[in-house]
Every structure is written in C-alpha cells, then in structure tokens.
Amino acid sequence: MNVLTLNLWGVPGTRARRARFAAARAALSESVAAGAVDVVLLQELWMAPDRGLFDGCGLGHEADADRIWSRPQNWLTAPFGIAHDSGLKILSRYPVTEVRRRLYSLRGRIDRLFKDAEVSARKSALAARLETPHLGPVWVVDTHLIANHPDEPYVARRASQLRELAAFLAELPAGEPIVFGGDLNVGPDVGTGTASPGYVPELWDELFPRLFAGYREAEEIATAVTFRGGGPYNPCPADESLDHIFVGPGLLAREGRIVLSEAAVDLGAGERGPISDHYGVLVQVARA
C-alpha cells in the first residue's frame, strides 16, 4: 500500500493557488493511474469550494469529516469564499468502512484571530478504516498540528495536540494496524547548519518518542527536508522536516521518498515553483 501525504497550502490569497491546485490534481491523477499511490492524506484543503477538487483523481473512496456548514461563522464568510473547517481529507483506492475525527481542544490564541488563523482552523485528526486486499483492515489517520510562528511558536499547544493524537490512536480498535501522518509541524533537525524552527527537542526528542513508542517511519525520509526555506513561497531561510508518515506495530514503512518537489507551476513574473510550500512524502506500507 503506497501512502502519500501532502499539505496543499490552500490558504486563500497564496501565490498561484488555482494553478498549483490544478497541477497537484494532475500529478496525483497520473500517480494513481500508474499504481504508484493508493492512499492520499491531504491537509490545507481548507475552503468549501475546494473540497471536491481532488475527488476525480482516480481513487474511488474518500474520508471527509468536515462539517463546514455546522459552523455559524461560515455562513457569514461563505460569500467571500473562505468558509472552512479542518482542511483534512483522505483519498483511498480501498473501501472506507468507518470514519472518525478528533477535534483538538487547544488551538490558537483568540487575540491572534486575524494574524495566524490558528483559532478559526479546526485542527484535527481524521481516521479512516480501510479494507485492503493485502493488509486487511488498516486505520489511516491524517492530521495537521498547530504551526510554529516567528512571534508565537505555540510549543505548549502543539504538545497538547500530540497528546490528544496519541490518545485518539489508542482509542482505535485493538489489533488493527495504524498508519498516521500529515503535517505535524514538528520534526528533526535536518542538518543544514541553519536552525529549523520545527525542531523543538522537548517535543521531537522527548515527548514524541514517549507518546508514539512502537511507531516508525521509513529510514530514507527520517530527516528529509519537506519544507524548503527561502523558496518562491516563503522568505524563511530554514529548511524543515515537518511532514511525516508513521506506521504502527505489525507494519513496515519502506522505500520512503520526497515527491512533488520540482518547480512545475508557472507563478508569473518568469518564476516557477512546486505545487505547494510543502513537498509530498510517499512511503510503501507492508506487513512486518
């Protein structure tokens, strides 16, 4: 089972957003048709008009627990095209037999509502139970944790969300294997010589191994760059490893690689860039 995670950078007003989404859909459709991708974990598919854009990529099943129209503020913001919820969606080649979601209890600071939008974004974990032909039933969990901002790193709140994610995984049926991934907004030092804001030792070196003991990621991408600093989308000079796929006991993650990193989209002004400010992470999941 080949699993891909991709943060689409779907914030309104971001550079060449529509062109990037079209290129992302085309790339995913090509990979699916070639049999290279079986499950896709999407993040930042924020806006209501965008939610169906990737349904035609050739994967016949999906998990979507967003309840955009249950939020009163979205009825007010809909005319402006910014009605949103968690931004999470799972696409699957295999039937989805159950869907669960955990809304994280701590999000952003209310006084930063119009500064970083971490309050309005309902950061969550989305779980789908897939019936696969080779692995049997597998739970696949997609998440997007609160981001680090230059003037507000949100370390304590990201720690809280990690704890809630671990508790959510523990509530899934015992004995059924788990794959979880997405944009964790935390990861290892990528060793470029420039400090990575996403590398927080108290989270990555101390808390994460305690909470997710027994989970492993593919060795090939354990310290890979998934967010390129200083590129056409972000002036931050630091490269970071923020996007991950982990597998639980009974499973192996292998042949991990970074994908969708090439400058494939015309951004205007003679400049080209990747389809997102994050790269995709692709791994093969097999039985241990």
Side-chain angles (χ1 to χ4, degrees), residues 6-273:
L6 177 64
N7 179 320
L8 288 163
W9 198 33
V11 178
T14 49
R15 193 171 183 185
R17 177 167 158 267
R18 285 296 178 185
R20 293 189 294 100
F21 272 31
R25 173 174 171 152
L28 289 178
S29 296
E30 182 178 351
S31 295
V32 169
V37 174
D38 301 307
V39 179
V40 181
L41 312 180
L42 294 174
Q43 305 93 46
E44 291 204 26
L45 190 58
W46 290 120
M47 304 305 148
D50 297 338
R51 297 295 293 176
L53 289 178
F54 293 86
D55 292 355
C57 290
L59 297 173
H61 306 275
E62 67 175 55
D64 184 350
D66 271 18
R67 299 292 179 265
I68 289 175
W69 304 116
S70 71
R71 308 183 74 191
Q73 63 267 40
N74 281 335
W75 292 93
L76 300 175
T77 60
F80 305 98
I82 56 174
H84 65 286
D85 194 349
S86 78
L88 301 176
K89 195 167 189 175
I90 298 173
L91 308 178
S92 172
R93 189 182 300 276
Y94 313 114
V96 176
T97 60
E98 186 176 346
V99 176
R100 301 185 186 186
R101 180 169 76 157
R102 168 69 65 89
L103 288 171
Y104 295 131
S105 58
L106 290 179
R107 298 196 291 274
R109 286 168 36 191
I110 189 64
D111 61 307
R112 295 175 60 88
L113 176 61
F114 299 106
K115 193 170 186 178
D116 61 33
E118 296 287 355
V119 171
S120 62
R122 292 213 288 189
K123 297 292 178 72
S124 309
L126 172 66
R129 185 180 186 270
L130 310 182
E131 284 291 348
T132 73
H134 306 298
L135 303 176
V138 177
W139 285 93
V140 175
V141 182
D142 184 13
T143 194
H144 184 191
L145 302 187
I146 194 168
N148 171 75
H149 297 269
D151 58 342
E152 174 51 87
Y154 284 127
V155 171
R157 298 189 186 214
R158 197 148 62 254
S160 173
Q161 291 181 354
L162 284 170
R163 292 187 183 95
E164 291 190 38
L165 172 62
F168 181 56
L169 299 183
E171 293 168 0
L172 297 177
E176 295 188 349
I178 297 172
V179 177
F180 81 88
D183 179 3
L184 302 185
N185 271 311
V186 66
D189 185 347
V190 297
T192 60
T194 301
S196 301
Y199 173 54
V200 183
E202 67 186 86
L203 296 181
W204 190 252
D205 297 336
E206 299 172 23
L207 182 63
F208 197 93
R210 293 202 306 270
L211 292 177
F212 303 102
Y215 287 89
R216 298 290 182 268
E217 64 180 329
E219 293 181 2
E220 299 91 340
I221 55 169
T223 59
V225 172
T226 69
F227 181 92
R228 180 69 71 184
Y233 304 136
N234 196 309
C236 175
D239 294 339
E240 302 192 67
S241 178
L242 303 177
D243 306 85
H244 306 272
I245 297 174
F246 284 85
V247 300
L251 297 176
L252 289 174
R254 60 193 186 190
E255 299 182 16
R257 57 193 177 100
I258 302 301
V259 298
L260 304 175
S261 59
E262 65 279 0
V265 182
D266 185 359
L267 305 178
E271 194 170 12
R272 295 180 67 81

